[in-house]
Amino acid sequence: FQGEKNLTTMKKYETELSHEEFSSNVITIKKARHYACTDILVAFQGTRLGRLLFGAQDPEFNSYDGLITNSELFHAWVLKAFTGNEQPFFEAINKRKEFLFHGITLKSKQD
């Protein structure tokens, strides 16, 4: 859902993490309906209007799960940034890793 220009700008701020499994500080929640998980999606979850606007919820990872994951990742990132302790951040990533993408992938330019 991100445009090429925005991804190119974001790529400038991407850094490597000191972890063998997670190589990028950029994390995206798979199947996210919006770049910011909010309670609006949770409020519509399971309603007729929600299904009409957003389609069926993923039974394995719904809007509430996205909101909780986003909150856990943000909290762990703040701890990492302010205390230098990376462990909570890696634990938060690992907890939901099957629902996350790592890094920025730019489209290759075709000649």
Side-chain angles (χ1 to χ4, degrees):
F1 53 81
Q2 296 286 350
E4 200 70 20
K5 185 177 180 181
N6 189 32
L7 289 173
T8 301
T9 301
M10 288 171 56
K11 190 80 171 158
K12 294 176 186 176
Y13 300 99
E14 184 178 28
T15 59
E16 290 186 17
L17 297 175
S18 61
H19 193 277
E20 67 236 18
E21 190 175 354
F22 312 118
S23 60
S24 174
N25 65 324
V26 178
I27 301 165
T28 304
I29 298 174
K30 293 179 182 178
K31 298 182 182 180
R33 298 183 187 276
H34 192 269
Y35 63 89
C37 297
T38 65
D39 58 347
I40 292 170
L41 296 175
V42 174
F44 281 122
Q45 181 171 297
T47 67
R48 186 175 305 163
L49 181 58
R51 286 188 298 277
L52 179 67
L53 293 173
F54 306 115
Q57 290 285 318
D58 181 344
E60 299 295 317
F61 192 77
N62 60 33
S63 294
Y64 179 75
D65 294 323
L67 179 66
I68 295 301
T69 300
N70 191 59
S71 298
E72 289 172 348
L73 288 169
F74 178 74
H75 180 254
W77 179 84
V78 169
L79 286 174
K80 176 185 172 301
F82 285 104
T83 67
N85 182 2
E86 295 182 330
Q87 193 58 35
F89 186 61
F90 295 136
E91 288 172 2
I93 294 171
N94 201 39
K95 181 178 178 182
R96 303 286 187 145
K97 67 182 176 182
E98 68 270 19
F99 301 109
L100 304 174
F101 289 116
H102 302 274
I104 299 172
T105 305
L106 299 172
K107 293 178 185 174
S108 61
K109 298 193 180 205
Q110 304 279 331
D111 291 5

